Amino acid sequence: MSERKLSRRRFLASASVAAVGIGVASRAFGVPAYIRNLGKPNSLFKGVQVGVITYSFRTMPSSAEELLSYCLEANVSAVELMGPAAEAFAGAPQPPAKSGDGEEEKGERKAYLSTLADWRAQVPMTKFEQLRKIYNDAGVSIYGYKPSALGTNNTDAEIDYAFRAAKALGANQANVEFPKDPAHTKRLGAIAARNKVYVGYHGHLQQTFDMWDAAIEQSAYNAANFDMGHYVAAGYDPIAFIEAKHRHIVSMHVKDRKSKANGGANLPWGEGDTPITEALQLMAMRNYKFPATIELEYPIPEGSDAVKEVARCVAYAREALKA
């Protein structure tokens, strides 16, 4: 584990050396132009962009640099980036340590959230743009951003920040759990439209065929961050949903769950009831452009780790799209 804990300076230095080495080899030996991708990850298979939400690495140290190193190791070339790593990279105030005192901890948390809201309202986008370049130079694009800035208790300035930061990172979407209040999806959709960045609403077992319809009617920038595994566990057919709603899906979380009738367990890919292969092949055949996002939620087997399991999911998707 300690080998993965690269400091920011060491990480940037090693990445620069690798890039220079490849460039020198290309000039010296007349290597074709495509050599610039040598050593970079590639999880674009048959036109389907397979990505990962960085939540999948939650059991491991999770700085922005460490998350990038995991992507490189797992052959992932696109990500949905969770907020904490990006905000820490950009210099956000850090949350207080848990004190064990309920009332004191509650007060400290409230003060921290106020400080964080002020920081979000004023932070320049320079560091987010820098993070985008670091990822892009390593061969990884950021298509989604999921900060804790899109809730009902967040200020309009925080919500606006979420979309501006997403754009600075290179993402076309800022994602959030599906709100219960239609007034909030209207609010989010309006601010998303001003920034021309989609808000992707993620669902769990509450997902139904028409769950997103009212929000989509409110704003052209309200969209679905569909989760096909949870949809299966809720008792529905994700293939029918994808075919009918693909124009409104901005990204799709992929996991393998048993159906509702079979208990809904979260299992390694290929062991549940989620039609992962069929969904990926449908995306390739119909040329759907939203990414398929690996979300690792099944128990990690003994002797393995999150990076190895994400790599297995990437390999599964690659094999599925060979057919």
Side-chain angles (χ1 to χ4, degrees), residues 58-278:
R58 64 197 174 278
T59 57
M60 307 178 75
S62 296
S63 70
E65 297 91 343
E66 286 163 332
L67 292 172
L68 177 55
S69 74
Y70 304 153
C71 291
L72 301 181
E73 188 175 342
N75 190 35
V76 176
S77 57
V79 298
E80 178 183 346
L81 186 63
M82 297 291 287
E87 292 188 325
F89 184 90
Q94 294 302 294
K98 293 186 180 296
S99 64
D101 183 319
E103 285 304 312
E104 181 181 349
E105 194 168 298
K106 187 176 179 180
E108 289 176 345
R109 179 70 180 172
K110 184 177 180 180
Y112 162 70
L113 291 177
S114 177
T115 301
L116 181 61
D118 291 342
W119 177 85
R120 285 168 168 167
Q122 300 174 39
V123 61
M125 293 293 106
T126 310
K127 296 294 287 186
F128 293 96
E129 292 166 354
Q130 181 185 350
L131 187 58
R132 170 186 182 174
K133 186 176 188 306
I134 292 170
Y135 271 59
N136 289 177
D137 286 351
V140 180
S141 63
I142 301 170
Y143 59 81
Y145 183 47
K146 192 172 185 178
S148 60
L150 296 167
T152 54
N153 293 327
N154 292 111
T155 65
D156 283 2
E158 286 183 279
I159 294 169
D160 186 71
Y161 144 82
F163 296 117
R164 289 188 295 109
K167 186 180 291 187
L169 289 166
N172 72 340
Q173 59 195 271
N175 298 334
V176 65
E177 300 303 310
F178 194 87
K180 294 180 180 179
D181 185 359
H184 192 54
T185 56
K186 184 176 182 179
R187 176 190 179 204
L188 291 178
I191 300 175
R194 289 206 302 266
N195 287 279
K196 293 182 168 51
V197 174
Y198 292 98
V199 52
Y201 298 105
H202 181 255
H204 290 261
L205 295 178
Q206 88 277 29
Q207 291 178 130
T208 61
F209 187 80
D210 59 359
M211 185 183 84
W212 289 269
D213 290 358
I216 288 168
E217 288 182 7
Q218 291 173 332
S219 171
Y221 283 87
N222 279 340
N225 174 225
F226 178 56
D227 191 307
M228 65 181 299
H230 290 324
Y231 198 71
V232 165
Y236 303 109
D237 173 18
I239 300 298
F241 182 91
I242 294 167
E243 288 184 311
K245 309 283 188 175
H246 62 90
R247 288 177 300 168
H248 302 295
I249 299 174
V250 73
S251 54
M252 180 178 76
H253 283 195
V254 184
K255 57 176 66 73
D256 202 351
R257 293 192 65 172
K258 285 287 189 180
S259 66
K260 182 178 182 180
N262 290 331
N266 215 317
L267 298 171
W269 285 24
E271 298 180 21
D273 295 323
T274 308
I276 294 175
T277 296
E278 293 87 340

Side-chain angles (χ1 to χ4, degrees), residues 299-323:
I300 296 173
E302 187 175 352
S304 188
D305 61 30
V307 176
K308 293 175 182 175
E309 295 308 308
V310 168
R312 287 191 178 108
C313 294
V314 173
Y316 186 103
R318 182 178 61 243
E319 291 302 310
L321 288 164
K322 277 185 178 179

